[in-house]
């Protein structure tokens, strides 16, 4: 599915799409190198299916999962950060030891060009404040020299989104909001301090879709779900772990999954393998849900 | 999507489902460990979506790809082989160095029980001939002692499928054909000596589905495709590589993909990442095609 001959710029989805994934998804692989690779698949799936937010939640009530949560969220954030900003924004940390195995996201907010002369007025770029000068802030946007964002005082090392307003030897830019960008612009990473059920209570989603082998085959609720999908402004799709599904995870908080989610769907009816892992379920589920946009 | 509380035995798909994947899918990762992991994802996807056959084909006309073809096909075969037969059937080979990172398939033909006392009459097991005796062949089926398959002369180390016919101290079995088994029973691995177009000519499929970013969004042809899917006895789903899509691969043989495939579909409309890799496309495409079974 490459398309080198044509560059199609992916638009954002019509709804804000969040994913919730359990921290224990990296529990069953012992080596950090494979954990990194696995988290890499999740970041890739999020980018491919234009996810806006990934929420990592604790799912084992009797365990301190802060290490795994930090591991998953740090690697996902690292992946989402354009390559030219990583050195500045991420210190050397043990959990980033194997980031060399991570595949690039190849999203519109990871531009391939690193030349000032290729900048265009109106173009958005991710950047980081490198220093403050009299006229404003200098922002590294991954070209030879930083651009000037006039009349702006922001802490050094702050990550910002800018829009190019002037070209030439010292290009200028203004701060931009992600909301004004029409193309898909990567995902945010959030750590949930509270478990699954509490997370659903604290955040307000118009549509919560839980995935479970014990759910309804998607095809049976496809039209109903497509209707909800299209009218929802904030949609959450949530996943279980290899060792426990979402029904079990909800049960830790004495919740019935059918009552806390609007839909519990099985996106892989007739699965040939006894268990499906989180990253595998992510690709399969987001692929079938992505179809709904066109139903 | 785990279901430890209930064991659902997956039936076979109604059609014979083959996949064709290009050898260059492992080209862009330098280290064997990551190549192994990537092939592992393909084996897993095949098992999850009940694929019967995986065909690895050469896709770079100017390159000798025999090494990559051997790598991909050997690792896929290794994964498909029940754990208790691997030592006997696979010699130590350089391409198997990192098989420790491969996830288990967890398919019905990889039984978890290794006890004679748990065998049931009528049960199928994969085995290998360990020796010939006066009464027949002794076959290792992954329990304490080999079972006797009476009146059978087969070469030692032959892999066979058997059906248990008698229990007790020396259980008995007969040779079985895969066709008689109703549950999903793993995939075969085939190496194609010829490139993509020639492969399509040499084999007869009722339905050839090519995946491409430049294909028609699945949803637009869903009903038509579902009809063909259901009446097809032999279906092929075929994939491009990260560096070249199927249109380019077909063009090497001066073929137009639209003419050699019945459907060219885009299973990830609006993809947020510039390229989708083969193993990612596999999960996404097989997930949406799996839906057709229920349309």
């Amino acid at each position: 599915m490459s398309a080198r001959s044509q560059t199609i710029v992916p638009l954002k989805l019509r709804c804000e799409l969040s994913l919730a994934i359990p921290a224990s998804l990296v529990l069953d692989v012992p080596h950090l190198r494979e954990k990194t690779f696995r988290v890499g698949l999740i970041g890739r799936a999020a980018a491919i299916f234009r996810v806006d937010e990934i929420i990592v939640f604790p799912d084992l009530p009797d365990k301190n999962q802060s290490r795994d949560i930090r591991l998953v969220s740090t690697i996902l954030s690292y992946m989402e950060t354009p390559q030219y900003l990583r050195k500045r924004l991420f210190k050397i940390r043990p959990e980033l030891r194997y980031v060399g195995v991570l595949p690039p996201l190849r999203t519109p907010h990871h531009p391939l060009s690193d030349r000032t002369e290729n900048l265009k007025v109106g173009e958005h770029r991710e950047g980081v404040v490198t220093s403050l000068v009299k006229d404003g802030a200098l922002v590294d946007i991954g070209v030879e020299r930083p651009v000037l964002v006039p009349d702006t005082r922001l802490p050094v090392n702050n990550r910002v989104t800018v829009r190019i307003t002037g070209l030439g030897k010292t290009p200028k830019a203004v701060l931009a909001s992600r909301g004004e960008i029409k193309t898909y612009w990567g995902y945010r990473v959030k750590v949930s301090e509270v478990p699954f059920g509490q997370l659903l209570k604290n955040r307000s989603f118009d549509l919560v879709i839980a995935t479970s082998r014990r759910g309804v085959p998607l095809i049976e609720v496809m039209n109903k779900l497509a209707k909800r999908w299209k009218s929802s402004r904030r949609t959450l799709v949530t996943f279980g772990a290899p060792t426990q599904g979402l029904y079990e995870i909800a049960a830790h908080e004495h919740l019935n999954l059918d009552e806390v989610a609007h839909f519990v769907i099985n996106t892989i009816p007739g699965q040939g393998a006894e268990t499906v892992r989180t990253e595998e379920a992510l690709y399969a589920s987001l692929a079938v849900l992505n179809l709904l946009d066109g139903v």
Side-chain angles (χ1 to χ4, degrees), chain A:
Chain A
M1 294 210 181
S2 89
R4 289 195 295 180
S5 48
Q6 56 189 140
T7 298
I8 305 158
V9 180
L11 295 179
K12 281 181 183 160
L13 287 172
R14 38 186 138 184
C15 67
E16 268 266 316
L17 180 58
S18 298
L19 302 184
I21 55 174
S24 71
L25 70 94
V26 288
L27 204 62
D28 63 320
V29 275
H31 200 287
L32 178 59
R33 187 159 169 163
E34 274 72 44
K35 287 184 200 280
T36 304
F37 198 101
R38 190 178 276 195
V39 177
L41 288 168
I42 291 179
R44 283 280 306 170
I48 289 171
F49 296 104
R50 294 174 285 166
V51 167
D52 298 295
E53 179 185 44
I54 307 178
I55 306 165
V56 187
F57 65 89
D59 59 314
L60 298 173
D62 303 328
K63 244 194 116 175
N64 179 353
Q65 294 182 276
S66 55
R67 242 185 100 176
D68 282 343
I69 291 185
R70 195 170 55 240
L71 176 76
V72 175
S73 61
T74 304
I75 295 176
L76 286 173
S77 298
Y78 184 89
M79 280 185 90
E80 188 278 330
T81 303
Q83 207 147 4
Y84 56 85
L85 299 179
R86 288 177 182 170
K87 263 203 185 143
R88 234 175 241 281
L89 294 174
F90 291 86
K91 302 223 167 62
I92 294 169
R93 297 193 215 180
E95 56 264 45
L96 293 177
R97 183 163 170 198
Y98 292 105
V99 291
V101 307
L102 291 172
L105 287 194
R106 306 288 310 273
T107 44
H109 78 310
H110 287 200
L112 294 177
S113 161
D114 56 0
R115 306 292 299 271
T116 307
E117 66 185 51
N118 294 333
L119 289 176
K120 289 191 187 74
V121 168
E123 177 182 351
H124 290 92
R125 304 249 330 186
E126 289 294 292
V128 65
V129 178
T130 57
S131 64
L132 296 178
V133 291
K134 194 168 43 106
D135 306 343
L138 292 178
V139 174
D140 178 0
I141 57 166
V143 295
E144 297 94 328
R145 288 177 304 279
V147 299
L148 175 69
V149 179
D151 308 322
T152 300
R153 318 300 295 174
L154 276 174
V156 169
N157 282 338
N158 229 45
R159 181 167 162 190
V160 291
T161 307
V162 301
R163 187 176 72 248
I164 307 298
T165 53
L167 304 175
K169 267 195 178 165
T170 39
K172 283 182 184 161
V174 294
L175 294 181
S177 75
R178 292 182 152 235
E180 77 183 49
I181 304 171
K182 290 198 168 52
T183 53
Y184 174 62
W185 208 250
Y187 55 79
R188 299 181 301 278
V189 181
K190 287 273 168 68
V191 166
S192 172
E193 304 289 336
V194 296
F196 178 66
Q198 197 60 44
L199 164 69
L200 291 187
K201 265 188 204 151
N202 294 359
R203 293 276 303 259
S204 64
F205 295 103
D206 302 326
L207 173 58
V208 174
I209 302 170
T211 57
S212 165
R213 184 177 185 173
R214 285 147 67 195
V216 183
L218 175 78
I219 207 82
E220 289 180 23
V221 289
M222 192 148 170
N223 289 325
K224 208 169 134 197
L225 182 53
K227 215 171 154 186
R228 284 293 294 269
W229 177 273
K230 284 181 185 174
S231 65
S232 169
R233 300 189 59 180
R234 290 173 181 198
T235 301
L236 177 74
V237 185
T238 176
F239 295 87
T243 47
Q244 54 173 357
L246 274 178
Y247 277 101
E248 288 95 330
I249 289 173
H252 295 319
E253 293 165 86
H254 310 289
L255 294 172
N256 179 351
L257 186 62
D258 295 309
E259 286 165 16
V260 292
H262 298 105
F263 290 86
V264 183
I265 56 168
N266 176 5
T267 53
I268 312 178
Q271 65 187 56
E274 174 78 15
T275 51
V276 173
R277 291 172 315 167
T278 311
E279 67 278 14
E280 296 172 326
L282 226 74
Y283 279 94
S285 303
L286 294 178
V288 299
L289 291 171
N290 188 44
L291 285 186
L292 297 182
D293 242 48
V295 172

